[in-house]
Amino acid sequence: MNKRMQQCTRMGSRGGARTGIRAAVATALVLATVAMAGGCALPRPRVKVPVYAPSPSSTDGYDASSATPSYEPTYSPSPTQETYDPDGRSDVDGSNCDFSDSLRQFTYTVSITNPSSTDSFSYDMAVNWMKAKPADGKAYGLHERSITVGPGDTETYTAKYTVNQSSIGQFWFTCQITRAHKSRM
């Protein structure tokens, strides 16, 4: 009987220990669940989000008391009102600068390209055959002509100047487009 009681006692103490551990774990789980649900377990920091927070760079150059901003808007013309430089020499290209001994004539091929896609322009042209050696600013001849070029078109012509002398010795010359005044038609 003593042996049997010892067994019961051992079993009883072991069983009681298990029950106590189970109860403690269950209680801890219940408390953790309640704490988490109530928001107490992991406190969250409170963050206040402003409705409008301008960056420091967005206020540069702006006076809040003024109703208008301190910058000026830039103007860009519409495609139908293209701006143009009245000096149209950038639209002109020259080639084949020559002098014919037999004809006593200077020639120069001139090509004018109108860069506008909408407007026609008149070009008031002047071509000079200038003294090259010495280059003293004197002209041997001058050719002038007005020519109209349509939108996006290229017109090519040969500028000519005939020398009145019957015989010309050796000389040096250059061809120069000295004027290409451009006006809208």
Side-chain angles (χ1 to χ4, degrees):
M1 175 117 176
N2 191 5
K3 197 174 189 182
R4 187 169 182 200
M5 278 191 89
Q6 285 178 355
Q7 281 182 335
C8 285
T9 306
R10 279 189 221 144
M11 287 180 82
S13 65
R14 278 178 126 184
R18 283 187 194 148
T19 306
I21 290 172
R22 284 184 194 147
V25 169
T27 304
L29 285 173
V30 168
L31 288 175
T33 305
V34 169
M36 293 283 263
C40 298
L42 299 172
R44 294 183 183 151
R46 290 186 173 233
V47 178
K48 194 170 188 178
V49 179
V51 176
Y52 172 72
S55 65
S57 63
S58 69
T59 58
D60 290 347
Y62 181 78
D63 181 7
S65 63
S66 172
T68 58
S70 61
Y71 68 91
E72 291 294 322
T74 57
Y75 172 76
S76 76
S78 67
T80 57
Q81 294 182 344
E82 294 179 60
T83 58
Y84 72 95
D85 184 358
D87 182 359
R89 285 182 288 181
S90 62
D91 301 348
V92 181
D93 188 31
S95 60
N96 303 322
C97 181
D98 199 12
F99 179 77
S100 169
D101 287 325
S102 61
L103 297 174
R104 299 184 325 271
Q105 189 176 65
F106 289 103
T107 56
Y108 193 45
T109 304
V110 178
S111 294
I112 306 164
T113 302
N114 180 354
S116 173
S117 60
T118 57
D119 295 321
S120 293
F121 287 99
S122 174
Y123 292 83
D124 182 23
M125 302 295 301
V127 175
N128 280 90
W129 289 269
M130 305 296 291
K131 191 173 178 183
K133 290 183 182 179
D136 57 7
K138 292 183 180 175
Y140 290 119
L142 170 67
H143 171 88
E144 294 179 301
R145 178 178 179 179
S146 289
I147 187 165
T148 301
V149 184
D153 290 342
T154 299
E155 296 290 334
T156 302
Y157 72 95
T158 302
K160 297 176 183 176
Y161 179 77
T162 303
V163 178
N164 292 330
Q165 293 173 263
S166 58
S167 67
I168 297 177
Q170 184 177 3
F171 64 98
W172 301 91
F173 64 98
T174 61
C175 298
Q176 293 181 5
I177 298 166
T178 54
R179 184 180 69 239
H181 184 76
K182 180 178 177 181
S183 55
R184 186 177 275 125
M185 297 299 290

